[in-house]
């Protein structure tokens, strides 16, 4: 476990020594004595927060709603700057799930979350309480990671995969860092734009155009945190100009690019998630992995 310091914030951060057995699943462990109104910055993954300590994290969401304890949220958690996290003596394992595997792991489509933060107990019932107890009973972070990975791997194996065409489109978006064009993605898989939009939205939890914007924003935001100038980031990340970048950053975070460049939630990434970048391609055929057009299954509209 390493200590992360950012301004007045002091966090203990742990990373697994081994990668997950499930491609598209990453984890980090956090111990925070005082979590003070942390802005949740949108990320292109489904977020699973498993708390087990003496304290309990609290998420302040839109319209004054609060969620306490273990939660799950779809891609883009915190859009518009609407979600803040706080609490004392927080201990948790945070899991990031590629939307491609999230439906199998959660037992529900990310689309069912409807952009909201949902209590894990509402989704998993008593299993949510059991995993909390099990995480609290073990003494090392590596054991906690192994326990979490085993649970999620079992759920993943039992759950349904997304369509290979949808997986292909998602990983093309990730690989292009949000510069892929939806019309071209549809053409590559041999689907109409309407079919791609419908299947993508129902299985991954957001429409393709929103996914493109979110992935592009995530890449740009981390470059801002790294100290790059907004004008350079805008030009290099495919924005029409600096004003376009400014509008997107405001829409996703409720803050300016200068403010986002100093966000704690993004600054911890290099320590907590050292292997950022294109995720692996679960449920994707050999043809897709090699960059070939997938074999199209003729499915009804």
């Amino acid at each position: 476990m390493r200590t992360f310091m950012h301004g007045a914030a002091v966090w203990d951060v742990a990373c697994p020594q081994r990668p997950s057995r499930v491609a598209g699943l990453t984890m980090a462990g956090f111990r925070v004595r005082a979590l003070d109104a942390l802005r949740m910055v949108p990320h292109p993954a489904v977020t699973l927060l498993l708390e087990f300590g003496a304290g309990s994290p609290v998420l302040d969401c839109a319209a004054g709603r609060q969620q306490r304890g273990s939660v799950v949220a779809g891609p883009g958690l915190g859009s518009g700057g609407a979600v803040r996290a706080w609490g004392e003596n927080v201990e948790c394992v945070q899991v990031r799930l590629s939307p491609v595997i999230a439906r199998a792991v959660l037992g529900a489509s990310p689309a069912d979350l409807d952009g909201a933060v949902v209590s894990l107990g509402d989704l998993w019932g008593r299993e949510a309480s059991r995993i909390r107890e099990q995480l609290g009973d073990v003494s090392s972070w590596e054991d906690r990671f192994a326990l979490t990975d085993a649970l999620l791997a079992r759920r993943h194996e039992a759950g349904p995969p997304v369509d290979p065409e949808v997986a292909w489109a998602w990983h093309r978006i990730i690989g292009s860092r949000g510069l892929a064009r939806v019309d071209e993605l549809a053409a590559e898989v041999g689907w109409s734009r309407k079919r791609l939009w419908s299947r993508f939205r129902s299985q991954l939890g957001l429409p393709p155009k929103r996914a493109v914007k979110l992935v592009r924003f995530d890449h740009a935001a981390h470059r801002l945190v790294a100290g790059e100038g907004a004008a350079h980031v805008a030009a290099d990340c495919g924005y029409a100009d600096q004003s376009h970048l400014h509008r997107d950053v405001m829409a996703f975070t409720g803050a300016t690019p200068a403010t986002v460049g100093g966000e704690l939630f993004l600054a911890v990434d290099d320590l907590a998630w050292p292997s950022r970048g294109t995720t692996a391609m679960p449920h994707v055929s050999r043809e897709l992995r090699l960059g070939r057009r997938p074999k199209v299954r003729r499915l009804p509209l």
Side-chain angles (χ1 to χ4, degrees), residues 177 179 216 219-246 249 257:
R177 294 177 172 174
L179 297 181
R216 181 176 60 183
H219 179 57
H222 281 88
R223 293 183 64 168
L224 291 171
V225 171
E228 296 186 39
H232 177 71
V233 170
D236 207 38
C237 291
Y239 291 94
D241 51 32
Q242 191 171 338
S243 295
H244 185 197
L245 170 67
H246 184 97
V249 170

Side-chain angles (χ1 to χ4, degrees), residues 109-192:
S109 169
D112 296 335
L113 303 175
D114 197 26
V117 179
V118 177
S119 167
L120 191 61
D122 291 342
L123 195 65
W124 285 0
R126 295 181 61 183
E127 189 171 25
S129 299
R130 285 196 296 271
I131 185 64
R132 186 187 192 282
E133 293 172 359
Q134 291 169 343
L135 289 172
D137 285 343
V138 297
S139 58
S140 76
W141 281 104
E142 206 56 37
D143 286 344
R144 293 183 185 113
F145 292 138
L147 190 157
T148 302
D149 196 53
L151 166 67
L152 300 184
R154 287 196 302 270
R155 295 185 62 92
H156 175 257
E157 290 171 3
V162 303
D163 291 336
E165 293 88 349
V166 171
W168 164 259
W170 172 260
H171 290 293
R172 286 278 285 157
I173 292 170
I174 291 290
S176 71
R177 294 177 172 174
L179 297 181
R181 296 178 61 87
V182 176
D183 287 342
E184 293 175 359
L185 293 176
E188 286 173 3
V189 300
W191 281 2
S192 69

Side-chain angles (χ1 to χ4, degrees), residues 207-226:
K209 187 174 181 179
R210 177 72 173 175
V212 166
K213 293 181 67 174
L214 178 58
V215 170
R216 181 176 60 183
F217 158 78
D218 179 66
H219 179 57
H222 281 88
R223 293 183 64 168
L224 291 171
V225 171

